[in-house]
Amino acid sequence: MKKMFEKPFIYIILIIILIFFLVRRIRVVMETEGFSVHTLGQFKAFKVPGLYFKCSGGETEWTFIKADDRVKIVTDKMLRVNNIDVPYESEEQLKVADYIHISGFENERAIAFLDKDQRDSFVCEKCSHQNVLS
C-alpha cells in the first residue's frame, strides 16, 4: 500500500492551480471605481467599493468603470460606458447625446455631471490630425 503523500509535488501543483483559479475570481473595487454586472446583455447590478468574489458563468459580464470617465448619455436614465448601458443620476438637467463625466457611484447608479466641453473631436495643432474624443 502506497502512502498518500509519497509524491508531495503533485499536491503542491494542485494547490497552486486552485489558488490561481480563486485569485482570478476575486475583484477589489476601489473608492473611485465600480463594476457594472450584466447578464445576457441586461443590467443586473452595480458593484460599489468593496471585495467581491466573481462566481459567474459565461453569460455574466463584469465591466470596469472608473470615476472621471467621459461618456455619452443614450437615454433619459442610461449612459454608455465601454459599449454597455449603465443607469445614472444627476442633479443637473441633462439631455440625450450630452457628454458627461462620472463623479462617483451610489445606490446602483453612476453619479454624473455635465462636461463643459461638448465637442466630440478636435484637430491637433501640431499635425492637423482629427482626434475623436471618447
Side-chain angles (χ1 to χ4, degrees), residues 27-95:
R27 298 287 186 254
V28 177
V29 182
M30 304 305 273
E31 192 69 32
T32 60
E33 304 170 343
F35 274 100
S36 174
V37 180
H38 285 70
T39 302
L40 299 173
Q42 293 292 326
F43 177 80
K44 273 298 195 210
F46 202 74
K47 301 297 184 184
V48 293
L51 180 67
Y52 298 97
F53 186 74
K54 177 185 171 189
C55 49
S56 61
E59 73 280 349
T60 302
E61 181 180 337
W62 288 50
T63 304
F64 176 72
I65 302 170
K66 64 179 184 160
D68 206 34
D69 277 350
R70 183 177 190 257
V71 296
K72 196 173 198 176
I73 298 176
V74 291
T75 68
D76 291 338
K77 306 221 183 266
M78 303 293 261
L79 53 91
R80 182 152 294 151
V81 182
N82 302 327
N83 294 327
I84 59 151
D85 294 342
V86 175
Y88 76 93
E89 63 183 36
S90 178
E91 295 177 356
E92 299 176 282
Q93 185 67 26
L94 303 173
K95 59 184 187 243

Side-chain angles (χ1 to χ4, degrees), residues 5-17:
F5 295 105
E6 204 168 276
K7 297 183 179 181
F9 65 92
I10 293 174
Y11 296 105
I12 292 172
I13 290 173
L14 289 174
I15 290 172
I16 289 172
I17 291 171

